[in-house]
Amino acid sequence: AAGMAAPTMEERKACWGARDEFWRCLDSHGDDAAQCEKLRRAFESRCPQQWVKHFDKRRDFLKYKKKLETEGFQPPEAAGKS
């Protein structure tokens, strides 16, 4: 395990892959983290800790943004149609 050294390209790919799998799992389980425990652990073991923190914040931000897009700014005529 490298200390504060920058991750290699391989390590970055492994980290992003683990993150994407974990996020996909959350997406398909309505953000029920308990369903994705194993993937969460893989994500945490493959990524530097500060990246994990960053990605967690990023996901919260993206979810918030999406919620605003889907619920926040609906023109009145779109409200009844779904």
Coordinates of all heavy atoms in Angstrom, one line a residue:
A1 N 0.8 -1.2 0.0 CA 0.0 0.0 0.0 C 0.9 1.2 0.0 O 1.7 1.4 0.9 CB -0.9 0.0 1.2
A2 N 0.7 2.1 -1.0 CA 1.4 3.3 -1.0 C 0.9 4.3 0.0 O -0.4 4.4 0.1 CB 1.4 3.9 -2.5
G3 N 1.7 5.1 0.6 CA 1.2 6.1 1.6 C 0.4 7.2 0.9 O -0.7 7.0 0.6
M4 N 1.1 8.3 0.8 CA 0.4 9.5 0.2 C 0.8 9.6 -1.3 O 0.5 10.6 -1.9 CB 0.8 10.8 0.9 CG 0.2 10.8 2.3 SD -1.6 10.7 2.4 CE -2.1 12.2 1.6
A5 N 1.5 8.6 -1.8 CA 1.8 8.6 -3.3 C 0.6 8.7 -4.1 O -0.4 8.1 -3.8 CB 2.7 7.4 -3.6
A6 N 0.7 9.3 -5.3 CA -0.4 9.4 -6.2 C -0.7 8.0 -6.7 O 0.2 7.2 -7.0 CB -0.1 10.3 -7.3
P7 N -2.0 7.6 -6.8 CA -2.3 6.3 -7.3 C -1.8 6.1 -8.8 O -1.9 7.1 -9.5 CB -3.8 6.2 -7.3 CG -4.2 7.3 -6.4 CD -3.1 8.4 -6.4
T8 N -1.4 4.9 -9.1 CA -1.1 4.7 -10.5 C -2.3 4.6 -11.4 O -3.4 4.6 -10.9 CB -0.4 3.3 -10.7 OG1 -1.3 2.3 -10.3 CG2 0.9 3.2 -9.8
M9 N -2.1 4.6 -12.7 CA -3.3 4.5 -13.6 C -4.1 3.3 -13.3 O -5.3 3.3 -13.3 CB -2.8 4.5 -15.1 CG -3.9 4.7 -16.1 SD -4.9 6.1 -15.6 CE -5.7 6.4 -17.2
E10 N -3.4 2.2 -13.1 CA -4.2 0.9 -12.8 C -5.0 1.1 -11.5 O -6.1 0.6 -11.4 CB -3.2 -0.2 -12.6 CG -2.5 -0.7 -13.8 CD -3.6 -1.1 -14.9 OE1 -4.4 -2.0 -14.6 OE2 -3.6 -0.5 -16.0
E11 N -4.4 1.7 -10.5 CA -5.1 1.9 -9.2 C -6.3 2.8 -9.4 O -7.4 2.6 -8.8 CB -4.2 2.4 -8.1 CG -3.2 1.4 -7.7 CD -2.0 2.0 -6.8 OE1 -1.7 3.2 -7.0 OE2 -1.4 1.2 -6.0
R12 N -6.1 3.9 -10.2 CA -7.2 4.8 -10.4 C -8.4 4.1 -11.1 O -9.5 4.2 -10.8 CB -6.7 6.0 -11.3 CG -5.9 7.0 -10.5 CD -5.9 8.3 -11.2 NE -5.3 8.3 -12.5 CZ -4.0 8.5 -12.7 NH1 -3.2 8.7 -11.7 NH2 -3.5 8.4 -13.9
K13 N -8.0 3.2 -12.1 CA -9.0 2.5 -12.9 C -9.8 1.6 -11.9 O -11.0 1.4 -12.0 CB -8.4 1.7 -14.0 CG -8.2 2.5 -15.3 CD -8.0 1.6 -16.4 CE -7.5 2.4 -17.7 NZ -6.3 1.8 -18.3
A14 N -9.0 0.9 -11.1 CA -9.7 0.0 -10.1 C -10.6 0.7 -9.2 O -11.7 0.3 -8.9 CB -8.6 -0.8 -9.3
C15 N -10.2 1.9 -8.7 CA -11.0 2.7 -7.9 C -12.2 3.2 -8.6 O -13.3 3.0 -8.0 CB -10.1 3.9 -7.4 SG -11.1 5.2 -6.5
W16 N -12.1 3.7 -9.8 CA -13.3 4.2 -10.5 C -14.3 3.1 -10.8 O -15.5 3.2 -10.7 CB -12.9 4.9 -11.8 CG -12.1 6.2 -11.5 CD1 -12.3 7.0 -10.4 CD2 -11.1 6.8 -12.3 NE1 -11.5 8.1 -10.5 CE2 -10.7 8.0 -11.6 CE3 -10.5 6.5 -13.5 CZ2 -9.7 8.8 -12.2 CZ3 -9.5 7.3 -14.0 CH2 -9.2 8.5 -13.3
G17 N -13.7 1.9 -11.2 CA -14.5 0.8 -11.5 C -15.3 0.3 -10.2 O -16.5 0.1 -10.3
A18 N -14.7 0.3 -9.1 CA -15.3 -0.1 -7.8 C -16.4 0.9 -7.5 O -17.5 0.6 -7.0 CB -14.3 -0.2 -6.7
R19 N -16.1 2.2 -7.7 CA -17.1 3.3 -7.4 C -18.3 3.1 -8.3 O -19.4 3.2 -7.8 CB -16.4 4.7 -7.6 CG -17.4 5.8 -7.5 CD -16.9 7.1 -8.2 NE -16.8 6.8 -9.7 CZ -16.3 7.6 -10.6 NH1 -15.7 8.7 -10.2 NH2 -16.2 7.3 -11.8
D20 N -18.0 2.9 -9.6 CA -19.2 2.8 -10.5 C -20.1 1.6 -10.2 O -21.3 1.7 -10.3 CB -18.6 2.7 -12.0 CG -18.0 4.0 -12.4 OD1 -18.1 5.0 -11.8 OD2 -17.3 3.9 -13.5
E21 N -19.5 0.5 -9.8 CA -20.2 -0.7 -9.5 C -21.1 -0.4 -8.2 O -22.2 -0.7 -8.1 CB -19.3 -1.9 -9.2 CG -19.0 -2.7 -10.4 CD -18.2 -3.9 -10.1 OE1 -18.6 -4.8 -9.3 OE2 -17.0 -3.9 -10.6
F22 N -20.4 0.2 -7.2 CA -21.1 0.6 -6.0 C -22.3 1.5 -6.3 O -23.4 1.3 -5.8 CB -20.1 1.2 -5.0 CG -20.8 1.7 -3.7 CD1 -21.6 0.9 -2.9 CD2 -20.5 3.0 -3.4 CE1 -22.1 1.4 -1.8 CE2 -21.1 3.6 -2.2 CZ -21.9 2.8 -1.4
W23 N -22.0 2.6 -7.1 CA -23.1 3.5 -7.4 C -24.2 2.9 -8.2 O -25.4 3.2 -8.0 CB -22.5 4.7 -8.2 CG -21.8 5.7 -7.3 CD1 -21.4 5.5 -6.0 CD2 -21.3 7.0 -7.7 NE1 -20.7 6.6 -5.5 CE2 -20.7 7.5 -6.5 CE3 -21.4 7.8 -8.8 CZ2 -20.1 8.8 -6.5 CZ3 -20.8 9.0 -8.8 CH2 -20.2 9.6 -7.7
R24 N -23.9 2.0 -9.1 CA -24.9 1.3 -9.9 C -25.8 0.5 -8.9 O -27.0 0.4 -9.1 CB -24.3 0.4 -10.9 CG -24.3 1.0 -12.3 CD -24.1 -0.1 -13.4 NE -22.9 -0.8 -13.3 CZ -21.7 -0.4 -13.7 NH1 -21.5 0.7 -14.3 NH2 -20.6 -1.2 -13.5
C25 N -25.1 -0.2 -8.0 CA -25.9 -1.0 -7.0 C -26.8 -0.1 -6.2 O -28.0 -0.4 -6.0 CB -24.9 -1.7 -6.0 SG -25.7 -2.6 -4.8
L26 N -26.3 1.1 -5.7 CA -27.2 2.0 -5.0 C -28.3 2.5 -5.9 O -29.5 2.6 -5.4 CB -26.4 3.3 -4.6 CG -25.3 3.1 -3.4 CD1 -24.6 4.3 -3.2 CD2 -26.0 2.6 -2.1
D27 N -28.1 2.8 -7.1 CA -29.1 3.2 -8.0 C -30.2 2.2 -8.2 O -31.4 2.5 -8.1 CB -28.6 3.5 -9.4 CG -27.7 4.8 -9.4 OD1 -27.9 5.6 -8.5 OD2 -26.9 5.0 -10.4
S28 N -29.8 0.9 -8.3 CA -30.8 -0.1 -8.5 C -31.5 -0.6 -7.2 O -32.5 -1.3 -7.3 CB -30.2 -1.3 -9.2 OG -29.2 -1.9 -8.4
H29 N -31.0 -0.2 -6.1 CA -31.6 -0.5 -4.8 C -32.2 0.7 -4.1 O -32.3 0.7 -2.9 CB -30.7 -1.3 -3.9 CG -30.4 -2.6 -4.3 ND1 -29.2 -3.0 -5.1 CD2 -31.0 -3.8 -4.2 CE1 -29.2 -4.2 -5.4 NE2 -30.3 -4.8 -4.8
G30 N -32.4 1.8 -4.8 CA -33.0 3.0 -4.2 C -32.1 3.5 -3.1 O -32.6 3.9 -2.0
D31 N -30.8 3.5 -3.3 CA -29.8 4.0 -2.3 C -29.8 3.2 -1.0 O -29.5 3.8 0.1 CB -30.0 5.5 -2.0 CG -29.2 6.3 -3.1 OD1 -28.0 5.9 -3.3 OD2 -29.7 7.2 -3.6
D32 N -30.3 2.0 -1.0 CA -30.2 1.1 0.2 C -28.8 0.6 0.4 O -28.5 -0.4 -0.2 CB -31.2 0.0 0.1 CG -31.2 -0.9 1.4 OD1 -30.4 -0.6 2.3 OD2 -32.0 -1.8 1.4
A33 N -28.0 1.3 1.2 CA -26.5 0.9 1.3 C -26.3 -0.5 1.8 O -25.4 -1.2 1.5 CB -25.8 1.9 2.2
A34 N -27.3 -1.0 2.6 CA -27.2 -2.3 3.2 C -27.1 -3.4 2.1 O -26.4 -4.4 2.2 CB -28.3 -2.6 4.1
Q35 N -27.8 -3.2 1.0 CA -27.8 -4.1 -0.2 C -26.4 -4.1 -0.9 O -26.2 -5.0 -1.7 CB -28.9 -3.7 -1.2 CG -30.3 -3.7 -0.7 CD -30.8 -5.1 -0.5 OE1 -30.5 -6.0 -1.2 NE2 -31.8 -5.2 0.4
C36 N -25.6 -3.1 -0.7 CA -24.4 -2.9 -1.5 C -23.2 -2.9 -0.6 O -22.1 -2.4 -1.0 CB -24.5 -1.6 -2.2 SG -26.0 -1.4 -3.2
E37 N -23.3 -3.5 0.6 CA -22.2 -3.6 1.6 C -20.9 -4.1 1.0 O -19.9 -3.5 1.2 CB -22.7 -4.5 2.7 CG -21.8 -4.4 4.0 CD -21.8 -3.1 4.7 OE1 -22.9 -2.4 4.7 OE2 -20.8 -2.6 5.1
K38 N -21.0 -5.2 0.3 CA -19.7 -5.8 -0.3 C -19.1 -4.9 -1.3 O -17.9 -4.7 -1.3 CB -20.1 -7.1 -1.0 CG -19.9 -8.3 -0.1 CD -19.7 -9.6 -0.9 CE -20.6 -9.8 -2.1 NZ -21.4 -11.1 -2.0
L39 N -19.9 -4.2 -2.1 CA -19.3 -3.3 -3.1 C -18.8 -2.1 -2.5 O -17.8 -1.5 -2.9 CB -20.4 -2.9 -4.1 CG -20.9 -4.1 -5.1 CD1 -22.1 -3.7 -5.9 CD2 -19.7 -4.5 -6.0
R40 N -19.4 -1.6 -1.4 CA -18.9 -0.5 -0.6 C -17.5 -0.8 -0.1 O -16.6 0.0 -0.1 CB -19.9 -0.2 0.5 CG -19.4 0.9 1.5 CD -19.5 2.3 0.9 NE -18.7 3.2 1.7 CZ -18.7 4.5 1.5 NH1 -19.5 5.0 0.5 NH2 -17.9 5.3 2.2
R41 N -17.4 -2.0 0.5 CA -16.1 -2.4 1.0 C -15.0 -2.4 -0.1 O -13.9 -2.0 0.1 CB -16.2 -3.7 1.8 CG -16.8 -3.5 3.2 CD -16.5 -4.7 4.1 NE -17.0 -5.9 3.6 CZ -18.3 -6.4 4.0 NH1 -19.0 -5.7 4.8 NH2 -18.7 -7.5 3.5
A42 N -15.4 -3.0 -1.2 CA -14.4 -3.0 -2.4 C -14.0 -1.6 -2.8 O -12.9 -1.3 -3.0 CB -15.1 -3.8 -3.5
F43 N -15.0 -0.7 -2.8 CA -14.8 0.7 -3.2 C -13.8 1.3 -2.2 O -12.8 1.9 -2.6 CB -16.2 1.4 -3.2 CG -16.1 2.9 -3.2 CD1 -15.4 3.6 -4.2 CD2 -16.9 3.6 -2.3 CE1 -15.4 5.0 -4.2 CE2 -16.9 5.0 -2.4 CZ -16.2 5.7 -3.3
E44 N -14.1 1.1 -0.9 CA -13.2 1.7 0.1 C -11.8 1.1 0.1 O -10.8 1.8 0.4 CB -13.8 1.5 1.5 CG -15.0 2.4 1.7 CD -15.7 2.3 3.1 OE1 -15.3 1.4 3.9 OE2 -16.6 3.1 3.4
S45 N -11.7 -0.2 -0.3 CA -10.4 -0.8 -0.2 C -9.6 -0.5 -1.5 O -8.3 -0.5 -1.5 CB -10.5 -2.3 -0.1 OG -11.0 -2.9 -1.3
R46 N -10.2 -0.1 -2.6 CA -9.5 0.2 -3.8 C -9.2 1.7 -4.0 O -8.5 2.1 -4.9 CB -10.3 -0.3 -5.0 CG -10.4 -1.8 -5.0 CD -10.8 -2.3 -6.4 NE -10.9 -3.7 -6.3 CZ -12.0 -4.4 -6.6 NH1 -13.1 -3.8 -6.9 NH2 -12.0 -5.7 -6.5
C47 N -9.8 2.5 -3.2 CA -9.7 4.0 -3.4 C -9.0 4.6 -2.2 O -9.2 4.2 -1.0 CB -11.0 4.7 -3.6 SG -11.9 4.1 -5.0
P48 N -8.1 5.6 -2.4 CA -7.6 6.4 -1.3 C -8.8 7.0 -0.5 O -9.8 7.3 -1.0 CB -6.8 7.5 -1.9 CG -6.5 7.0 -3.3 CD -7.7 6.1 -3.7
Q49 N -8.6 7.1 0.8 CA -9.7 7.5 1.7 C -10.2 8.9 1.3 O -11.4 9.1 1.4 CB -9.3 7.4 3.2 CG -10.5 7.0 4.0 CD -10.5 7.6 5.4 OE1 -9.4 7.9 6.0 NE2 -11.7 7.9 5.9
Q50 N -9.3 9.8 1.0 CA -9.9 11.1 0.6 C -10.7 11.1 -0.6 O -11.6 11.9 -0.8 CB -8.8 12.2 0.6 CG -7.7 12.0 -0.5 CD -6.5 11.3 0.1 OE1 -6.6 10.4 0.9 NE2 -5.3 11.7 -0.3
W51 N -10.4 10.1 -1.5 CA -11.2 10.0 -2.7 C -12.6 9.5 -2.4 O -13.6 9.9 -2.9 CB -10.6 9.0 -3.7 CG -9.4 9.5 -4.4 CD1 -8.5 10.5 -3.9 CD2 -8.8 9.1 -5.6 NE1 -7.5 10.7 -4.8 CE2 -7.7 9.9 -5.9 CE3 -9.2 8.2 -6.6 CZ2 -6.9 9.7 -7.0 CZ3 -8.5 8.0 -7.7 CH2 -7.3 8.8 -7.9
V52 N -12.7 8.5 -1.4 CA -13.9 7.9 -1.0 C -14.8 9.1 -0.5 O -16.0 9.2 -0.8 CB -13.7 6.8 0.1 CG1 -15.1 6.4 0.7 CG2 -13.0 5.6 -0.5
K53 N -14.2 9.9 0.4 CA -15.0 11.1 0.9 C -15.4 12.0 -0.2 O -16.6 12.4 -0.2 CB -14.1 11.9 1.9 CG -13.9 11.2 3.2 CD -13.3 12.2 4.2 CE -12.8 11.6 5.5 NZ -11.4 11.9 5.8
H54 N -14.5 12.3 -1.1 CA -14.9 13.1 -2.2 C -16.0 12.5 -3.1 O -17.0 13.2 -3.4 CB -13.7 13.4 -3.1 CG -14.0 14.0 -4.4 ND1 -14.2 15.3 -4.6 CD2 -14.1 13.4 -5.7 CE1 -14.5 15.6 -5.9 NE2 -14.4 14.4 -6.6
F55 N -16.0 11.2 -3.4 CA -17.0 10.6 -4.2 C -18.3 10.6 -3.5 O -19.4 10.7 -4.1 CB -16.6 9.2 -4.7 CG -15.5 9.3 -5.7 CD1 -14.4 8.4 -5.7 CD2 -15.5 10.2 -6.8 CE1 -13.5 8.4 -6.7 CE2 -14.6 10.2 -7.8 CZ -13.5 9.3 -7.7
D56 N -18.3 10.3 -2.2 CA -19.5 10.3 -1.4 C -20.2 11.7 -1.5 O -21.4 11.8 -1.7 CB -19.2 10.0 0.1 CG -19.0 8.5 0.3 OD1 -19.2 7.7 -0.6 OD2 -18.5 8.1 1.4
K57 N -19.4 12.7 -1.3 CA -20.0 14.1 -1.4 C -20.5 14.4 -2.8 O -21.5 14.9 -3.0 CB -18.9 15.1 -1.1 CG -18.6 15.3 0.4 CD -17.9 16.7 0.6 CE -17.3 16.8 2.0 NZ -15.9 16.4 2.0
R58 N -19.7 13.9 -3.8 CA -20.1 14.1 -5.2 C -21.4 13.4 -5.5 O -22.3 14.0 -6.1 CB -19.0 13.6 -6.1 CG -19.3 13.6 -7.5 CD -18.3 14.4 -8.3 NE -18.7 14.5 -9.7 CZ -19.4 15.6 -10.2 NH1 -19.7 16.6 -9.4 NH2 -19.7 15.6 -11.5
R59 N -21.6 12.2 -5.0 CA -22.9 11.5 -5.2 C -24.0 12.2 -4.6 O -25.1 12.4 -5.2 CB -22.8 10.1 -4.7 CG -24.0 9.3 -5.0 CD -23.9 7.8 -4.7 NE -25.3 7.2 -4.8 CZ -25.8 6.8 -5.9 NH1 -25.2 6.9 -7.0 NH2 -27.1 6.3 -5.9
D60 N -23.8 12.7 -3.4 CA -24.9 13.4 -2.7 C -25.3 14.7 -3.5 O -26.4 15.0 -3.7 CB -24.5 13.9 -1.3 CG -24.5 12.7 -0.3 OD1 -25.1 11.7 -0.6 OD2 -23.8 12.8 0.7
F61 N -24.2 15.4 -4.0 CA -24.5 16.5 -4.8 C -25.2 16.2 -6.1 O -26.2 16.9 -6.5 CB -23.1 17.2 -5.2 CG -23.3 18.3 -6.2 CD1 -23.9 19.5 -5.8 CD2 -22.9 18.1 -7.5 CE1 -24.0 20.6 -6.8 CE2 -23.0 19.1 -8.4 CZ -23.6 20.4 -8.1
L62 N -24.8 15.1 -6.8 CA -25.5 14.7 -8.0 C -26.9 14.3 -7.8 O -27.8 14.7 -8.6 CB -24.7 13.6 -8.7 CG -23.3 13.9 -9.2 CD1 -22.6 12.7 -9.7 CD2 -23.4 14.9 -10.4
K63 N -27.1 13.6 -6.7 CA -28.5 13.2 -6.4 C -29.4 14.5 -6.1 O -30.5 14.6 -6.6 CB -28.6 12.3 -5.1 CG -28.3 10.9 -5.4 CD -28.6 9.9 -4.3 CE -28.8 10.5 -2.9 NZ -28.3 9.7 -1.9
Y64 N -28.8 15.4 -5.4 CA -29.5 16.7 -5.1 C -29.9 17.4 -6.3 O -31.0 17.9 -6.5 CB -28.7 17.5 -4.1 CG -29.2 18.9 -3.9 CD1 -30.3 19.1 -3.1 CD2 -28.5 20.0 -4.4 CE1 -30.8 20.4 -2.9 CE2 -29.0 21.3 -4.2 CZ -30.1 21.5 -3.4 OH -30.6 22.7 -3.2
K65 N -28.9 17.5 -7.2 CA -29.0 18.2 -8.5 C -30.1 17.5 -9.3 O -31.0 18.2 -9.9 CB -27.7 18.2 -9.3 CG -27.5 19.4 -10.1 CD -26.1 19.4 -10.7 CE -26.2 19.0 -12.2 NZ -25.0 18.9 -12.9
K66 N -30.1 16.2 -9.4 CA -31.1 15.5 -10.2 C -32.5 15.7 -9.6 O -33.5 15.9 -10.3 CB -30.7 14.0 -10.1 CG -31.5 13.2 -11.1 CD -31.1 11.7 -11.0 CE -31.4 10.9 -12.3 NZ -30.7 9.7 -12.3
K67 N -32.6 15.7 -8.3 CA -33.8 15.9 -7.6 C -34.4 17.3 -8.0 O -35.6 17.4 -8.3 CB -33.7 15.8 -6.1 CG -34.9 15.8 -5.3 CD -34.6 15.4 -3.9 CE -35.6 16.1 -2.9 NZ -36.8 15.4 -2.5
L68 N -33.5 18.3 -8.0 CA -34.0 19.6 -8.4 C -34.4 19.6 -9.8 O -35.4 20.2 -10.2 CB -32.8 20.6 -8.3 CG -32.5 21.2 -6.9 CD1 -31.4 22.2 -7.0 CD2 -33.7 21.9 -6.3
E69 N -33.7 18.9 -10.7 CA -34.1 18.8 -12.1 C -35.4 18.1 -12.3 O -36.2 18.6 -13.1 CB -33.0 18.1 -12.9 CG -31.8 19.0 -13.2 CD -30.6 18.2 -13.6 OE1 -30.7 17.0 -13.9 OE2 -29.5 18.8 -13.6
T70 N -35.6 17.1 -11.5 CA -36.9 16.3 -11.8 C -38.1 16.9 -11.0 O -39.2 16.9 -11.5 CB -36.7 14.8 -11.4 OG1 -36.2 14.7 -10.0 CG2 -35.8 14.1 -12.3
E71 N -37.8 17.4 -9.8 CA -38.9 17.9 -9.0 C -39.0 19.4 -8.9 O -40.0 20.0 -8.7 CB -38.9 17.3 -7.6 CG -38.9 15.8 -7.6 CD -38.6 15.2 -6.2 OE1 -38.6 15.9 -5.2 OE2 -38.2 14.0 -6.2
G72 N -37.8 20.0 -8.9 CA -37.7 21.4 -8.6 C -38.2 22.4 -9.6 O -39.0 23.3 -9.3
F73 N -37.8 22.2 -10.9 CA -38.1 23.2 -11.9 C -39.1 22.7 -12.9 O -38.9 22.7 -14.1 CB -36.9 23.6 -12.6 CG -35.8 24.2 -11.6 CD1 -34.7 23.5 -11.3 CD2 -36.0 25.5 -11.1 CE1 -33.8 24.1 -10.4 CE2 -35.1 26.0 -10.2 CZ -34.0 25.3 -9.9
Q74 N -40.3 22.2 -12.5 CA -41.2 21.7 -13.4 C -42.2 22.8 -13.9 O -42.8 23.4 -13.0 CB -42.0 20.5 -12.8 CG -41.3 19.2 -12.8 CD -42.2 18.1 -12.3 OE1 -43.1 18.3 -11.6 NE2 -41.8 16.9 -12.7
P75 N -42.3 23.0 -15.2 CA -43.2 23.9 -15.7 C -44.6 23.4 -15.3 O -44.8 22.2 -15.4 CB -43.0 24.0 -17.2 CG -42.2 22.8 -17.5 CD -41.5 22.4 -16.3
P76 N -45.6 24.3 -15.0 CA -46.9 23.8 -14.5 C -47.6 22.8 -15.5 O -48.2 21.9 -15.1 CB -47.7 25.1 -14.5 CG -46.7 26.2 -14.4 CD -45.5 25.7 -15.0
E77 N -47.4 23.0 -16.8 CA -48.1 22.1 -17.7 C -47.6 20.7 -17.7 O -48.3 19.8 -18.1 CB -48.2 22.7 -19.2 CG -46.8 22.7 -19.8 CD -46.0 24.0 -19.6 OE1 -46.4 24.7 -18.7 OE2 -45.1 24.3 -20.4
A78 N -46.4 20.5 -17.2 CA -45.8 19.2 -17.2 C -46.2 18.4 -15.9 O -46.0 17.2 -15.9 CB -44.2 19.3 -17.2
A79 N -46.8 19.1 -15.0 CA -47.1 18.4 -13.7 C -48.0 17.2 -13.8 O -47.8 16.2 -13.2 CB -47.6 19.5 -12.7
G80 N -49.1 17.3 -14.6 CA -50.0 16.3 -14.6 C -49.6 15.1 -15.5 O -50.1 14.0 -15.3
K81 N -48.7 15.2 -16.4 CA -48.3 14.1 -17.3 C -47.1 13.3 -16.7 O -46.1 13.8 -16.4 CB -47.8 14.7 -18.6 CG -48.8 15.6 -19.3 CD -48.2 16.1 -20.6 CE -48.9 17.3 -21.1 NZ -48.0 18.4 -21.6
S82 N -47.4 12.0 -16.5 CA -46.3 11.1 -16.1 C -46.7 9.7 -16.4 O -47.8 9.4 -16.5 CB -45.8 11.3 -14.7 OG -46.9 10.9 -13.8

